[in-house]
Every structure is written in structure tokens, then in C-alpha cells.
DNA sequence: GCGACAG
DNA sequence: ATCTTGTCGC
């Protein structure tokens, strides 16, 4: 009754992250070492995507002038994917932008936004990558381990690896290969439109991540949750 | 050594 | 990510 086991309530987000995924890195070297240490903890498992009814989308917008950023988390409900909950957080980057260390920049604010949600999503979608990362531990993996929930990453441009162009029809895909390893899929979410790159974050496997991404793209190239989160953080940034 | 490099 | 107008096409 003294709050010793209140699951991190009242703690700073960075402290909660430390509880879940380790000490906060002081520099890029430590950050890379942390990723290498955590990468083996990512679990790939089948997800019953048909049973998924609440999906959260995560995204961040940056202020042009100062160093403010706004992180947004939006929860959408199947089957129409209308927004049922959302939260935004105004923060500052705690890490410089370094390709491959992207998560140290955005994850703290994103996790804080997720913590403010009143609805627990069945799965989350990040604007970025998971295993399709130099050390197999991108943003979606950071978020997945921190929350211990199913998370997948959907990127707009390739980062690591290469893939042949998938056929022009929606739902066609090709493996994203890096060093002879399948790290994700290049997936056509809309016929005749530039494909996206799907990868595993945590507690989901590639087939499930692909199926869920297709279910989340009934109208546009990017998953509906990510689009909504993008809209919200931009709007919040303009208002602030 | 050089280039490329999620958002 | 953000800076930026119009323009072509469904």
C-alpha cells in the first residue's frame, strides 16, 4: 500500500522504459549496444488478425523552428476503423537523429502517449521498421518490448535490405532481404501504388503483420491508424 | 575508404 | 522530419 508495485505509475517515462528494456543510453555507442542486447528478445508469433478489433497507430511530428515534437497515439476500432480513443504528448527529442537509432528519439514520447490512452489496443502499428533494421531492432521492436504487446512497423521507404518490385495488384508482396535474411516484406497495399515495407516489431509474425496491414488499408496506401496518428500530431503541433 | 542511411 | 506551387489525373 505504499505504491511499491504500482506498475510504474508516477515514474518518468524514461524510468519506465529502463524497467522494461534497459538503461537509457548516454551516446550512440551505448544505444547500439542496447539494441544488440535486446534484439534476441523479440518474439515472432502468429496473431489471429481476424480477432483484432482495436489497433493503435503511432506517429510523431516535428516543429519547424524549435525542437518541439508531438507524439500521437490513435486507437481505431474494426471493422470500419473509426477512431475511438487518442492521446498526444508535446515533448523534446531525447536523442539526435541517427539512422538506426531512430527509436531513441521518438519512442519515449510515443510510449508516453500510449500510456495516456484509456483503451488498450490489441495491436499497435508504428511508422517505421521493426526487424528490418541493421541490428534487427527498429522502433517497432523498441515499442513492442516496452509494452509487451503485438507491434508491427510499416515504412514508406526502404532502410535496410532490398526487395524486387511486387506485382501491381493490391496484396502482392516480395520478401525484403538483408544479408540473406528475410527481414520484412515489400507489400502492395493499393493496386498500382508504390508499395510499403512491413516488418515485425514484437509478438506478431510476418504473415500476421502482412494480413493486418492489408486489413488496415481498405482505402489508402498507409495503414489507417498511422494516417490518423499522422493527422492528429500535425494538428496538435499547429494548435500548440 | 566511400556512399547510403526509417522519421 | 521539414522547407514548398502548381499541376496532372481519377
Amino acid at each position: 500500500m505504499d505504491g511499491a508495485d504500482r506498475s510504474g505509475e508516477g515514474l518518468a517515462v524514461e524510468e519506465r522504459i529502463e524497467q522494461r528494456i534497459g538503461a537509457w543510453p548516454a551516446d550512440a555507442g551505448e544505444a547500439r549496444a542496447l539494441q544488440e542486447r535486446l534484439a534476441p528478445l523479440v518474439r515472432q508469433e502468429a496473431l489471429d488478425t481476424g480477432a483484432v478489433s482495436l489497433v493503435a497507430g503511432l506517429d510523431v511530428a516535428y516543429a519547424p523552428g524549435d525542437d518541439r515534437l508531438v507524439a500521437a497515439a490513435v486507437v481505431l476500432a474494426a471493422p470500419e476503423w473509426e477512431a475511438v480513443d487518442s492521446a498526444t504528448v508535446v515533448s523534446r527529442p531525447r536523442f539526435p537523429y541517427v539512422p538506426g537509432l531512430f527509436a531513441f528519439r521518438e519512442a519515449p514520447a510515443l510510449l508516453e502517449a500510449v500510456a495516456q490512452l484509456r483503451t488498450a489496443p490489441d495491436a499497435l502499428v508504428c511508422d517505421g521498421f521493426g526487424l528490418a533494421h541493421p541490428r534487427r531492432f527498429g522502433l517497432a521492436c523498441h515499442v513492442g518490448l516496452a509494452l509487451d504487446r503485438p507491434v508491427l512497423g510499416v515504412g514508406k521507404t526502404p532502410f535496410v535490405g532490398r526487395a524486387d518490385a511486387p506485382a501491381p495488384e493490391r496484396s502482392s508482396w516480395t520478401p525484403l532481404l538483408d544479408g540473406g535474411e528475410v527481414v520484412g516484406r515489400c507489400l502492395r497495399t493499393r493496386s498500382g501504388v508504390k508499395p510499403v515495407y512491413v516488418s515485425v516489431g514484437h509478438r506478431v509474425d510476418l504473415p500476421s503483420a502482412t494480413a493486418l496491414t492489408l486489413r488496415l488499408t481498405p482505402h489508402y496506401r498507409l495503414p489507417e491508424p498511422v494516417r490518423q496518428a499522422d493527422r492528429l500530431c500535425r494538428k496538435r503541433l499547429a494548435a500548440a
Side-chain angles (χ1 to χ4, degrees):
Chain A
M1 52 178 161
D2 52 17
D5 192 46
R6 298 284 300 286
S7 63
E9 201 169 332
L11 292 179
V13 169
E14 287 177 15
E15 293 177 82
R16 291 204 294 270
I17 293 171
E18 287 178 18
Q19 287 185 332
R20 295 285 181 78
I21 66 176
W24 194 254
D27 55 44
E30 284 187 20
R32 294 189 184 95
L34 178 59
Q35 291 180 324
E36 288 172 352
R37 185 163 66 75
L38 297 174
L41 302 181
V42 171
R43 299 211 306 278
Q44 300 189 57
E45 47 196 47
L47 182 69
D48 183 0
T49 56
V52 171
S53 59
L54 293 173
V55 181
L58 275 39
D59 196 20
V60 170
Y62 294 85
D66 51 78
D67 64 345
R68 288 173 311 147
L69 63 78
V70 175
V74 181
V75 181
L76 307 190
E80 299 303 320
W81 303 123
E82 75 275 17
V84 295
D85 192 11
S86 68
T88 58
V89 167
V90 180
S91 182
R92 316 259 176 192
R94 290 174 178 71
F95 220 80
Y97 172 69
V98 180
L101 301 181
F102 187 49
F104 294 98
R105 212 173 146 69
E106 299 198 343
L110 288 172
L111 292 171
E112 196 171 321
V114 171
Q116 288 184 15
L117 292 173
R118 308 184 68 184
T119 313
D122 300 315
L124 300 93
V125 186
C126 287
D127 184 0
F129 295 106
L131 294 178
H133 176 278
R135 288 166 294 282
R136 308 293 183 258
F137 201 73
L139 174 65
C141 299
H142 282 253
V143 172
L145 283 199
L147 299 174
D148 193 26
R149 310 265 352 177
V151 179
L152 59 115
V154 177
K156 299 181 285 293
T157 62
F159 182 31
V160 294
R162 59 166 301 159
D164 290 329
E169 299 76 32
R170 164 176 155 91
S171 82
S172 60
W173 57 271
T174 54
L176 177 60
L177 299 166
D178 184 41
E181 206 177 330
V182 175
V183 295
R185 284 180 182 176
C186 180
L187 175 69
R188 192 85 66 178
T189 53
R190 307 298 307 161
S191 294
V193 175
K194 192 204 300 190
V196 299
Y197 298 82
V198 178
S199 59
V200 169
H202 188 49
R203 296 185 62 171
V204 60
D205 59 17
L206 253 186
S208 301
T210 303
L212 186 53
T213 299
L214 286 171
R215 221 186 136 202
L216 293 169
T217 50
H219 305 303
Y220 301 94
R221 177 170 86 115
L222 296 178
E224 208 57 38
V226 170
R227 292 187 66 248
Q228 296 300 320
D230 179 77
R231 279 184 34 174
L232 181 59
C233 59
R234 285 175 194 266
K235 180 179 178 180
R236 182 72 155 72
L237 188 59

